[in-house]
Amino acid sequence: MAWSALTTPIVGTPRFPDAPLPPRAGAGLKADHIDAILADDYRIGFLEVHAENYMGDGGAAHRALSAIRTEFPLSVHGVGLSIGSEGGIDPAHLERLAKVVERYEPGMVSEHLAWSSHDAGYFNDLLPVPYNADTLDRVVAHIGQIQDRLKRQILLENPSTYVAFEQSTMSETDFIREIAQKSGCGLLLDINNVFVSATNHGWKPIQYLRSFPLEMVQEIHLAGHAEDVDDEGEKLLIDAHDRPVAEAVWKLYEIVICQAGAMPTLVEWDNDVPEWPVLRREAMLADAVLKRLGPSALLGSRHATG
């Protein structure tokens, strides 16, 4: 079933203020930052949480997130649905995700184009899929199952990859476009993932962005990456989320905003997390780009102001 973001039904009685994500910068919510965020004169545009961290019934984490959700728009980002898995969606995990979404009424819900489960086992990684007709049909079916249960559209994030499959018969951008068109999902464009994959596979990130369906993008992710070398001594980038956004990624971000307009932009920092002022500064840099370049974008601003 194709779900429209404009006709997404509201589940149950709202407990929080209606809060769609504004076309501003947001940050990943960390427990150590909550007091600083609530006391800060700078009001971050929104906050994003990993759904799997809130799948318990109660406790301090839920009390803190309820306080945040009262004050800020919220985005829920899943990392464990394993949308690309041949084994199908775990119904118990989907139910837990649905409870988080119903509980906090986020502005957006997103997941990854990846798999992380096999039989009864889970891998602590987001693994790539081959881009072919069989995988396409499987992913579209899984997204339909998820959207039917959540009763809303989800966003699908492009991956960071380190290997390519001989079985692939489509480009990544064509594959993602087909998924969105057939499933009715929206897209989350992770620009750091684009830069990481482009470097690892030896293609130009700007060519990827030219063929990416920007008109379907509803959220952007930015993050830092680490540099390494592969077994042959070639440069290898790792999507590490442990440092500031690289200058090359900022430049690609400016190109996207010039083309697509201002939209919710998350700065991810999940490892070696700094104090709140450091992450705040990264978000302010993104806000400055959105304010400077968003209004004159070629596709126009497609998101509510706020």
Side-chain angles (χ1 to χ4, degrees):
M1 180 182 296
W3 290 93
S4 167
L6 299 178
T7 59
T8 299
I10 297 175
V11 178
T13 302
R15 282 181 294 249
F16 299 103
D18 185 32
L21 300 195
R24 288 195 52 213
L29 181 65
K30 307 302 177 190
D32 291 346
H33 294 161
I34 289 174
D35 290 342
I37 291 169
L38 291 172
D40 200 342
D41 290 337
Y42 168 72
R43 302 295 284 180
I44 193 85
F46 67 97
L47 292 153
E48 186 161 287
V49 297
H50 287 169
E52 285 72 14
N53 291 333
Y54 296 90
M55 288 184 172
D57 289 333
H62 281 292
R63 288 194 295 273
L65 187 55
S66 293
I68 287 291
R69 176 61 182 87
T70 300
E71 298 291 332
F72 297 93
L74 184 70
S75 178
V76 168
H77 191 50
V79 297
L81 271 179
S82 197
I83 283 177
S85 171
E86 293 183 354
I89 299 297
D90 179 356
H93 191 97
L94 180 56
E95 285 301 311
R96 289 191 290 268
L97 172 63
K99 288 181 180 179
V100 173
V101 171
E102 290 165 3
R103 184 171 189 167
Y104 290 106
E105 302 168 307
M108 291 183 184
V109 179
S110 55
E111 248 288 356
H112 296 81
L113 176 57
W115 64 279
S116 55
S117 62
H118 182 68
D119 293 331
Y122 276 83
F123 303 97
N124 189 28
D125 209 341
L126 296 167
L127 302 169
V129 297
Y131 303 139
N132 56 39
D134 288 343
T135 310
L136 177 66
D137 290 344
R138 181 168 67 249
V139 171
V140 167
H142 290 168
I143 292 174
Q145 179 184 352
I146 295 163
Q147 292 183 146
D148 285 350
R149 175 60 188 91
L150 299 185
K151 298 182 174 62
R152 62 183 294 158
Q153 183 188 52
I154 68 166
L155 309 184
L156 187 68
E157 179 181 341
N158 60 294
S160 59
T161 58
Y162 310 91
V163 297
F165 289 91
E166 291 181 352
Q167 299 96 322
S168 291
T169 58
M170 308 169 66
S171 70
E172 183 172 293
T173 53
D174 286 346
F175 186 75
I176 289 173
R177 183 189 297 273
E178 286 288 310
I179 290 173
Q181 289 176 339
K182 291 184 176 182
S183 71
C185 76
L187 297 179
L188 189 164
L189 175 61
D190 189 312
I191 298 178
N192 186 63
N193 285 357
V194 173
F195 187 76
V196 166
S197 296
T199 302
N200 292 342
H201 297 297
W203 35 264
K204 295 184 181 301
I206 193 64
Q207 293 177 344
Y208 181 100
L209 291 174
R210 284 173 180 160
S211 61
F212 197 88
L214 293 179
E215 70 278 4
M216 298 179 178
V217 175
Q218 298 183 36
E219 184 182 343
I220 291 174
H221 277 188
L222 302 171
H225 55 258
E227 293 190 9
D228 205 339
V229 293
D230 62 19
D231 292 340
E232 298 177 353
E234 298 293 329
K235 186 176 182 179
L236 179 72
L237 298 187
I238 307 296
D239 184 32
H241 295 189
D242 64 352
R243 64 197 68 200
V245 178
E247 183 61 29
V249 175
W250 282 119
K251 291 179 180 177
L252 292 174
Y253 178 55
E254 291 186 352
I255 291 170
V256 170
I257 298 304
C258 281
Q259 178 70 29
M263 68 181 73
T265 299
L266 179 79
V267 178
E268 295 184 287
W269 200 317
D270 297 318
N271 299 300
D272 296 332
V273 179
E275 296 297 318
W276 171 245
V278 177
L279 193 50
R280 176 188 194 262
R281 184 169 61 247
E282 293 285 285
M284 293 180 74
L285 290 173
D287 261 342
V289 173
L290 292 166
K291 184 176 181 179
R292 175 167 53 91
L293 299 178
S296 58
L298 295 177
L299 294 180
S301 179
R302 296 169 288 113
H303 299 269
T305 57

